[in-house]
Amino acid sequence: RPLGIVMIEHRNADGHVQRSWKDERTGLWRELAIGADGNPMSDSGYTSRRQVGDEVIITTRQVDHCTREYQDGELRLPVETVRAAMPENRRVGDIPDTVFDDGSLVADGTEVVDGRELLRYRDDANDGVVWLDPDTRDVVKRRFSAGTDAEQAEVYEYLARTPENLAVLVPEVPPGFTTPPTADA
């Protein structure tokens, strides 16, 4: 599949949700934390990056739904630091062959999930299961600590790099949110 935007929804047993969007081409990302009550708690991300000489300038946005404040910022980092932390052209849901070779995941047949026949693998190290697309071997769903109070699940969705999907990478600032006062104010 072509590089795109990968949306990962992570749910834990108490109802908290973490939604992440990652742009496989640029490494930019966004994370939205939602409380068990269904209300957003925080929303943050790296919204753009550009290289100037030997440094990369990354624009950031943090939105705090509890304080109703947001802050836009800028990080200036060495190129090599950014390449290591935010690699470009990296497939997010791809599992390296070494994971299969070393026995970290054990083939466990196929299973129909949401109307799709997927490859099922046991993840004994995490007391879980991983479901993969049979054509791409991309992760479709994961479950950890199954059947316990600590159970967690992730669902992966692979989106095209359309203008609408790229716009999702920028955390939204709801009406009425303000920037926090500065130290010299």
Side-chain angles (χ1 to χ4, degrees):
R1 72 177 166 78
L3 295 176
I5 307 294
V6 179
M7 194 279 287
I8 304 167
E9 182 170 285
H10 182 101
R11 293 182 174 272
N12 65 21
D14 67 2
H16 285 86
V17 175
Q18 179 85 23
R19 283 196 191 112
S20 302
W21 293 266
K22 297 179 181 180
D23 181 353
E24 294 175 309
R25 185 164 298 153
T26 65
L28 297 175
W29 57 269
R30 174 185 174 195
E31 290 185 347
L32 171 64
I34 302 169
D37 61 2
N39 292 316
M41 296 168 33
S42 64
D43 196 355
S44 61
Y46 288 179
T47 59
S48 71
R49 82 185 211 181
R50 66 187 190 285
Q51 185 171 337
V52 177
D54 61 351
E55 77 179 356
V56 174
I57 301 169
I58 300 170
T59 56
T60 65
R61 174 171 285 166
Q62 295 181 351
V63 181
D64 186 329
H65 287 264
C66 299
T67 62
R68 299 179 54 81
E69 293 179 332
Y70 75 96
Q71 190 166 11
D72 290 330
E74 202 174 76
L75 296 173
R76 293 175 172 266
L77 301 168
V79 170
E80 293 308 315
T81 301
V82 174
R83 283 189 184 141
M86 290 175 51
E88 293 180 357
N89 299 314
R90 180 178 161 264
R91 290 173 50 114
V92 172
D94 196 22
I95 294 183
D97 288 335
T98 55
V99 172
F100 300 102
D101 297 340
D102 71 9
S104 298
L105 295 179
V106 179
D108 196 23
T110 62
E111 184 176 339
V112 176
V113 177
D114 298 327
R116 293 175 60 193
E117 187 169 359
L118 302 175
L119 302 174
R120 179 185 163 101
Y121 286 83
R122 277 193 345 263
D123 179 0
D124 295 334
N126 293 302
D127 210 13
V129 179
V130 178
W131 291 269
L132 304 179
D133 180 289
D135 297 323
T136 64
R137 289 179 66 135
D138 286 331
V139 175
V140 174
K141 187 174 180 179
R142 296 178 76 167
R143 187 174 64 218
F144 310 93
S145 305
T148 71
D149 290 344
E151 184 170 334
Q152 301 173 46
E154 291 179 346
V155 175
Y156 290 64
E157 186 176 346
Y158 300 90
L159 309 169
R161 293 186 84 250
T162 63
E164 296 80 17
N165 290 336
L166 288 167
V168 171
L169 292 170
V170 179
E172 297 175 16
V173 177
F177 277 44
T178 60
T179 57
T182 60
D184 28 302

